[in-house]
């Protein structure tokens, strides 16, 4: 059984609980509540926790998924999602502003009442084991990290107020407490092997809040949904103003929906991967009823992208807001608040193909053929309009309005793996696919730990800055699938191996990794949902 080796970065928590127990730099423990877009320093429940027997301090001996064990036979355990209890005897707990004797049990957080300590420990161990037993099979050399990944997916399951009574996997209990759109799709991919019903619910949570025009919201959270810029926390407008350029990339906005770099009210969503995720679930756990349930909503979402999100009417969709790309601080946003990188229209071509698969499974053969025709035509349009003979280009645009024609249009010089993602369509001409694979294997993108989110040799490369250089597992996962769909299975196998090796050696399931060192990038959060889900999916494919 794996241990929580560093409580500073991997908190002790439980499925369904908002409580996080962490270690402070001085060795004491502190407890906070996980809330949407809120720093843990603002939700602190208890600080400075230490245990003593007489004058001797009882340090933490080990932290495991079901308990924190101290020297002297004292344990900290969840009684339920809102209650933390110390069990043991002849010990005294001291914390900032309080103290109590541990003589049987002592409730630290929650309703103070008697508990049977042995029964609490037994129940916690049983809950841990029941979840662990459902983990997909992986090779022995990947097992410890896979156990951590599976545990992370489990403890990141929370009831969200606007999730319709369903459990949702939050990206991380460090601030990301909500159901983010494409995160949910990646989480579903990781859950599909062991709990396809839970995987389907990740999709349903989002579709329950689809707007009449077809848009699927960016986030479902405790206070509502985030579907347009008026729903953003004010701190997000300030953050956008720091890294989203205006025309020419030299101006910065003031940090509000009306005055900031975006301007006006703009819809906010995430990349169109819903049909892809649905089909991934269907491949391992067929459920025609679920396909019937989601087919029309996803088809409406597809049309939204090709109408509302194609303001210039050229047939190629664009991101109307940086957050809709999921690539918050990527250099593609240094030149304007709207952009058309090649990943988006690759996703749309893939989605059309997957809608065709769903239609065929439902017996709608004519619709299936129409979707596949649309997929082929979309790839043809992408190649004709955005392939310059060397690479697929990204266009950045300054907006004259939230959905009006673009102002200045800039071809982004920064090299990113977004230009390689047309491989995901599986429909590129052979010569172009070969050129993209050659680029992937070049020193710009290939190394011991590929694939950087900005090319290694690009002036904008920063190994620690979110989407400006670090390795993200979702990018690697999509590239692996694209390589397979485009006929490059051996390269896909090698990228899989290097990705798994990096995560296995890196110490945790982080948001993103430094590609030069393989360590957690400086500003990356830990306990990250899609890193856990996609590591598990890739690892299970090696079993």
């Amino acid at each position: 059984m794996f241990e929580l080796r560093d409580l500073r970065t991997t908190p002790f928590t439980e499925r369904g609980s908002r409580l996080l127990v962490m270690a402070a730099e001085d060795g004491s423990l502190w407890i906070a509540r996980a809330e949407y877009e809120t720093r843990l320093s603002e939700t602190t429940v208890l600080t400075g926790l230490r245990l003593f027997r007489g004058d001797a301090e009882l340090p933490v001996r080990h932290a495991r998924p079901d308990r924190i064990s101290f020297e002297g036979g004292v344990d900290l355990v969840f009684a339920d999602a809102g209650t933390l209890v110390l069990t043991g005897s002849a010990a005294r707990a001291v914390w900032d502003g309080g103290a109590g004797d541990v003589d049987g049990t002592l409730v630290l957080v929650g309703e103070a009442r008697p508990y049977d300590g042995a029964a609490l420990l037994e129940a916690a161990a049983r809950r841990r084991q029941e979840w662990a037993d459902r983990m997909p099979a992986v090779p022995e050399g990947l097992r410890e990290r896979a156990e951590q990944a599976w545990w992370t997916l489990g403890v990141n399951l929370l009831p969200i107020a606007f999730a319709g009574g369903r459990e949702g996997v939050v990206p991380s209990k460090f601030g990301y407490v909500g159901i983010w759109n494409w995160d949910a799709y990646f989480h579903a991919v990781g859950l599909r092997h062991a709990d396809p019903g839970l995987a389907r619910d990740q999709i349903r949570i989002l579709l329950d809040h689809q707007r009449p025009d077809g848009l699927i919201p960016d986030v479902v959270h405790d206070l509502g949904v985030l579907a347009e810029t008026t729903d953003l926390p004010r701190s997000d407008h300030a953050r956008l103003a720091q890294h989203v350029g205006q025309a020419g990339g030299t101006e910065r906005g003031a940090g509000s929906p009306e005055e900031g770099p975006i301007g006006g009210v703009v819809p906010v969503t995430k990349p169109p991967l819903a049909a892809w995720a649905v089909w991934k679930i269907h491949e391992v756990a067929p459920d025609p009823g679920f396909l019937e349930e989601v087919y029309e909503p996803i088809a409406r979402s597809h049309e939204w992208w090709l109408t509302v999100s194609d303001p210039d009417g050229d047939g190629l969709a664009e991101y109307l807001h940086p957050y809709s790309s999921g690539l918050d601080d990527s250099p593609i946003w240094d030149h304007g608040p709207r952009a058309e990188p090649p990943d988006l229209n690759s996703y749309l071509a893939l989605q059309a193909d997957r809608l065709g698969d769903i239609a065929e499974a439902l017996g709608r053969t004519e619709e299936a053929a129409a979707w596949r025709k649309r997929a082929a035509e979309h790839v043809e349009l992408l190649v004709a309009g955005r392939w310059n003979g060397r690479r697929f280009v990204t266009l950045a645009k300054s907006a004259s309005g939230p959905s009006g024609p673009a102002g200045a249009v800039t071809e982004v010089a920064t090299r990113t793996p977004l230009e390689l993602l047309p491989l995901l369509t599986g429909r590129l001409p052979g010569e172009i696919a070969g050129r993209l694979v050659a680029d992937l294997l070049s020193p710009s993108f290939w190394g011991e730990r590929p694939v950087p989110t900005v090319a290694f040799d690009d002036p904008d490369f920063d190994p620690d800055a979110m989407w400006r250089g670090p390795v993200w597992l979702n990018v690697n996962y999509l590239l692996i699938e694209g390589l397979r769909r485009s006929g490059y299975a051996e390269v896909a196998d090698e990228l899989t191996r290097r990705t798994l090796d990096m995560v296995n050696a890196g110490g945790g399931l982080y948001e993103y990794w430094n590609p030069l060192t393989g360590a957690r990038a400086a500003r990356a959060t830990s306990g990250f949902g899609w890193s856990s889900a996609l590591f598990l999916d890739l690892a299970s494919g090696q079993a």
Side-chain angles (χ1 to χ4, degrees):
M1 176 173 55
F2 87 96
E3 295 193 5
L4 312 181
R5 300 185 187 279
D6 188 348
L7 287 172
R8 294 171 301 175
T9 59
T10 308
F12 175 59
T13 186
E14 174 135 328
R15 178 176 180 171
S17 178
R18 302 294 181 103
L19 297 173
L20 306 176
V21 182
M22 294 157 285
E25 293 300 325
D26 65 1
S28 67
L29 300 183
W30 63 292
I31 303 170
R33 284 182 55 84
E35 301 290 353
Y36 173 65
E37 291 290 313
T38 306
R39 293 185 177 91
L40 294 179
S41 59
E42 300 172 27
T43 62
T44 301
V45 175
L46 182 150
T47 59
L49 175 65
R50 297 179 185 275
L51 267 69
F52 294 89
R53 179 164 289 149
D55 293 331
E57 184 170 355
L58 304 178
V60 172
R61 188 169 81 249
H62 57 244
R64 292 176 175 163
D66 59 340
R67 71 192 68 184
I68 295 176
S69 296
F70 299 82
E71 295 292 347
V74 180
D75 295 287
L76 178 62
V77 64
F78 278 91
D80 55 50
T83 307
L84 279 163
V85 180
L86 285 165
T87 74
S89 61
R92 184 162 180 79
V94 178
W95 58 91
D96 294 338
D101 292 326
V102 183
D103 188 10
T105 61
L106 173 66
V107 176
L108 280 180
V109 180
E111 181 184 354
R113 65 181 183 85
Y115 284 98
D116 181 331
L120 289 181
L121 292 170
E122 181 181 343
R126 184 170 58 252
R127 291 193 301 271
R128 174 195 59 78
Q129 194 60 49
E130 287 173 352
W131 180 254
D133 287 345
R134 298 165 71 183
M135 186 185 85
V138 301
E140 187 58 35
L142 300 174
R143 185 169 182 81
E144 182 176 356
R145 188 67 66 231
E147 288 177 348
Q148 183 183 10
W150 185 239
W151 172 80
T152 299
L153 280 180
V155 299
N156 282 10
L157 279 162
L158 284 176
I160 300 295
F162 277 74
R166 299 186 176 98
E167 279 187 302
V169 180
V170 302
S172 172
K173 287 184 176 178
F174 287 112
Y176 292 104
V177 183
I179 311 304
W180 265 258
N181 184 315
W182 68 336
D183 296 70
Y185 305 146
F186 296 129
H187 295 158
V189 168
L191 290 169
R192 63 184 173 140
H193 301 285
D195 197 331
L198 194 56
R200 295 183 192 105
D201 276 351
Q202 306 313 298
I203 313 295
R204 289 185 173 112
I205 289 170
L206 294 164
L207 295 183
D208 283 348
H209 294 278
Q210 185 175 28
R211 297 202 315 193
D213 66 357
L215 176 138
I216 300 174
D218 183 13
V219 190
V220 177
H221 54 83
D222 286 321
L223 305 177
V225 300
L226 195 169
E228 59 184 36
T229 45
T230 56
D231 301 325
L232 286 167
R234 190 170 185 85
S235 60
D236 275 1
H237 294 292
R239 185 160 57 244
L240 284 163
Q242 294 175 3
H243 64 73
V244 177
Q246 297 283 8
T250 57
E251 302 175 28
R252 292 292 184 266
S256 75
E258 295 77 22
E259 302 168 354
I262 310 303
V265 178
V266 180
V268 184
T269 181
K270 279 291 187 287
L273 289 168
W276 170 82
V278 165
W279 194 251
K280 284 279 192 183
I281 300 169
H282 189 75
E283 286 176 332
V284 300
D287 183 348
F290 180 62
L291 297 185
E292 188 73 52
E293 175 187 343
V294 302
Y295 175 64
E296 294 293 347
I298 296 175
R300 289 200 306 275
S301 169
H302 194 83
E303 301 306 334
W304 180 89
W305 281 101
L306 294 171
T307 52
V308 177
S309 211
D310 180 22
D312 59 12
D314 66 353
L316 293 171
E318 61 185 69
Y319 293 121
L320 303 180
H321 190 280
Y323 284 5
S324 293
S325 71
L327 313 169
D328 304 6
D329 74 336
S330 170
I332 69 172
W333 302 111
D334 289 352
H335 308 277
R338 285 164 45 181
E340 188 199 299
D343 68 317
L344 172 54
N345 287 288
S346 302
Y347 299 147
L348 286 167
L350 175 63
Q351 176 148 280
D353 264 326
R354 288 299 176 242
L355 283 166
D357 292 335
I358 294 170
E360 184 171 332
L362 294 174
R364 305 183 184 191
T365 54
E366 291 185 5
E367 291 179 38
W371 281 116
R372 287 168 181 148
K373 182 173 183 289
R374 290 182 66 176
E377 291 173 347
H378 205 73
V379 173
E380 291 172 3
L381 189 61
L382 176 63
V383 170
R386 300 295 178 261
W387 175 253
N388 68 4
R390 303 180 309 280
R391 64 185 181 114
F392 284 97
V393 300
T394 293
L395 301 182
K397 306 178 181 184
S398 61
S400 58
S403 58
V409 178
T410 303
E411 185 174 313
V412 177
T414 305
R415 301 287 308 281
T416 76
L418 303 181
E419 65 194 57
L420 308 177
L421 281 172
L423 288 166
L424 194 56
T425 68
R427 290 181 172 275
L428 293 175
E431 181 181 351
I432 293 178
R435 178 60 185 264
L436 296 186
V437 174
D439 282 349
L440 170 64
L441 295 174
S442 74
S444 294
F445 291 108
W446 200 254
E448 183 180 351
R449 305 172 195 90
V451 176
T453 42
V454 167
F456 286 117
D457 53 3
D458 192 284
D460 287 327
F461 173 75
D462 182 336
D464 282 313
M466 207 170 184
W467 292 101
R468 293 175 175 262
V471 175
W472 287 74
L473 252 65
N474 65 328
V475 173
N476 281 21
Y477 188 96
L478 292 170
L479 283 171
I480 289 165
E481 180 154 330
L483 288 163
R484 296 197 189 285
R485 286 176 58 80
S486 296
Y488 291 87
E490 290 185 3
V491 182
D493 289 343
E494 183 60 20
L495 181 53
T496 299
R497 184 189 69 78
R498 294 187 185 212
T499 301
L500 290 172
D501 286 350
M502 179 194 72
V503 178
N504 204 31
L509 280 306
Y510 306 126
E511 189 178 11
Y512 46 91
W513 284 258
N514 182 313
L516 302 181
T517 66
R520 172 188 178 185
R523 294 185 285 277
T525 193
S526 60
F528 202 67
W530 83 35
S531 297
S532 301
L534 299 179
F535 176 82
L536 275 167
D537 195 76
L538 291 174
S540 66
Q542 308 299 301

